Structures are given as structure tokens and as C-alpha cells.
Amino acid sequence: MSEFTRSSYVYNVNSSDLADLVGTDTIAVVVASGLILVWGLALGVWKYHGIRTSPEHSAHVYVDIAHRAALMYSFATLVLAALVELSAFSPVVNVLAAAVPIVFFVAAIGAYCIHGALRDTTNQFENPMPGTYLFMLALIVGEIGGVLVLLAGVVVRLT
């Protein structure tokens, strides 16, 4: 058992009490963040392999993008977890609001990995597949909308 202080309260915490301190919605988003971080680190190995073995000593541009995006999205997902924890909305609303951007984060990283593996382009918008622009519109609305819902939940809680 360990003790920590938050505000003016002292908590005695067993590891089994973690779910009592933060919601299961927060825990789910933190786990998603960790998984994306591990993916980003693994992509770093792929990037390193490209740097070591290519004649130009650089990984394919989309391997590099996938690596960087995964690292950034892992931390963005951690911010979502903080917003989920502070939101006044129900766990279902919070998980759905966080899940939308997370799904798009994962889809983007996956697309970058595919382009990196296929080495088929250095600009996915040069010759876009059918539906690319519709997907991008959904991504914009979904990512910004999900964050705005969580931010509104924080504002509601603070007022």
C-alpha cells in the first residue's frame, strides 16, 4: 500500500484500487495510448533498419511519417485520457468521444505503414484512392469533434 496526496486529501492506494481513483473509461484510453506508443517504438526499429540498409541511409518517407505520427498520437491519446478523466459526461459519452479520434489516429498510422511497406508513393494525395477526400473530411470532423465533446465535458464540470 502506498500513500499520495491530491489537493488536500491523502489517499491510501492498493494497486487494485486504481479503478476507484480513475474511471474505467480513463484506463481504457491510457491503455490505448500505451499501445500506440509501443507501436511507435516498434516503427522506430523499422525506421532504423531502413536507415542502416538503404543506399541513401534513410528510411522510406512513410516509414518515417508512421514512426513520428505514432509517437505524437500516443501522447495526444494521453491528453484525451486526461480530458476523459476530467469530463462531467458519462463514461459511455467519454469513451465514444475519445474513441473517434483514436480510431482515426490508428487508421492514419496504418495507412502510413502500408505506404511505407509498399513504397508506392511519397505523397498519398498525389494520386489519391477513391474516397480519400471523404475519409479526410471524416477524420477532420471526427478528431476535432471528439476533442470538443471532451473539452465541453471539462467545462461543464468546472462550471
Side-chain angles (χ1 to χ4, degrees):
M1 182 167 336
S2 63
E3 281 190 8
F4 73 93
T5 304
R6 184 173 182 184
S7 301
S8 60
Y9 301 100
V10 175
Y11 296 92
N12 291 316
V13 182
N14 291 321
S15 60
S16 62
D17 295 332
L18 181 60
D20 294 334
L21 290 175
V22 297
T24 53
D25 49 356
T26 302
I27 292 169
V29 178
V30 168
V31 168
S33 174
L35 291 171
I36 296 169
L37 178 60
V38 169
W39 191 8
L41 295 171
L43 288 169
V45 175
W46 186 12
K47 180 178 173 178
Y48 171 72
H49 174 73
I51 292 167
R52 292 274 299 152
T53 60
S54 79
E56 305 83 28
H57 299 291
S58 64
H60 186 273
V61 64
Y62 271 100
V63 173
D64 184 47
I65 290 170
H67 172 245
R68 292 173 193 228
L71 294 176
M72 287 190 291
Y73 285 148
S74 72
F75 286 94
T77 304
L78 202 53
V79 171
L80 292 176
L83 293 172
V84 163
E85 181 59 25
L86 297 172
S87 173
F89 298 149
S90 73
V92 171
V93 170
N94 291 335
V95 165
L96 290 175
V100 173
I102 293 168
V103 165
F104 282 112
F105 294 167
V106 168
I109 298 164
Y112 303 149
C113 287
I114 290 168
H115 289 302
L118 295 176
R119 301 171 89 65
D120 61 348
T121 186
T122 57
N123 182 339
Q124 65 183 347
F125 297 107
E126 187 175 7
N127 296 308
M129 295 173 38
T132 298
Y133 292 110
L134 185 59
F135 176 82
M136 291 305 298
L137 179 63
L139 179 145
I140 291 164
V141 171
E143 287 183 358
I144 294 171
V147 172
L148 286 174
V149 167
L150 293 172
L151 217 50
V154 173
V155 169
V156 166
R157 187 170 197 185
L158 294 174
T159 56

